[in-house]
Amino acid sequence: MPKARNKEELDRATEHLKYEFTMLMAVAHAMASGMSTGGWLTNALLEAFVIHFRALVDFFYPPPQRKPDDVLATDFFVDPTEWERMRPPLTDELKRGRARAHKEVAHLTYARQDVTPESKPWPFVEIANQMHALMEAFNEGVKKNEQ
């Protein structure tokens, strides 16, 4: 069972959560604006998006191999299963995004060789919208939990 965190630890973790979310949304907006038309800047923006996405998706839907110092959404609930009961289901798009983040960005893998030009684009706007909805559900759940 994970260690219960005190208010100070959760408040400090909240600052990092806000950073991850703000960066994910900012990069998604930058990419959607067309500010970069290809090349290394587009790749850098996409990689930044994917790294922040990966941190957030693992926060909301932790992988089975949780590390003791991982900050998770369940840490913010007196009953950790409360978030698991109330959170939206993990969508196929987020599942695919998580798998792609691991295989195409975060790790050097042979699976990268199988990525075709047609499968290379990321649905970053849709992913950002889904992460926004998750953040709203999380914030609402935390508020109810504090009452």
Side-chain angles (χ1 to χ4, degrees):
M1 178 140 202
K3 172 186 168 189
R5 300 297 179 166
N6 63 43
K7 182 175 177 359
E8 181 183 336
E9 288 174 305
L10 293 175
D11 287 347
R12 289 183 15 224
T14 298
E15 293 307 311
H16 292 274
L17 174 62
K18 287 178 185 176
Y19 172 79
E20 294 295 336
F21 182 70
T22 299
M23 288 300 295
L24 176 97
M25 298 307 288
V27 173
H29 286 291
M31 291 170 59
S33 76
M35 73 178 270
S36 177
T37 57
W40 69 267
L41 182 55
T42 297
N43 289 346
L45 288 170
L46 180 60
E47 289 170 6
F49 176 83
V50 171
I51 293 299
H52 296 295
F53 160 73
R54 183 177 177 223
L56 289 168
V57 78
D58 285 355
F59 170 80
F60 291 123
Y61 303 96
Q65 62 277 21
R66 174 192 181 164
K67 305 283 188 297
D69 65 340
D70 286 349
V71 177
L72 303 178
T74 54
D75 296 343
F76 291 81
F77 292 82
V78 175
D79 175 3
T81 63
E82 182 65 24
W83 169 246
E84 293 166 356
R85 285 193 300 271
M86 69 174 296
R87 73 182 173 199
L90 182 63
T91 65
D92 287 342
E93 198 153 55
L94 296 182
K95 284 180 199 173
R96 279 190 302 276
R98 176 187 263 169
R100 288 186 72 187
H102 292 300
K103 295 293 184 180
E104 296 175 31
V105 178
H107 303 282
L108 188 58
T109 66
Y110 290 103
R112 287 186 185 189
Q113 297 171 11
D114 299 330
V115 178
T116 65
E118 298 79 30
S119 66
K120 198 167 183 117
W122 279 70
F124 59 88
V125 171
E126 183 56 35
I127 288 173
N129 288 338
Q130 289 180 26
M131 296 308 278
H132 187 268
L134 270 167
M135 186 61 80
E136 286 181 342
F138 171 74
N139 287 334
E140 188 174 309
V142 168
K143 285 179 188 170
K144 286 180 184 175
N145 188 62
E146 291 174 345
Q147 295 174 355

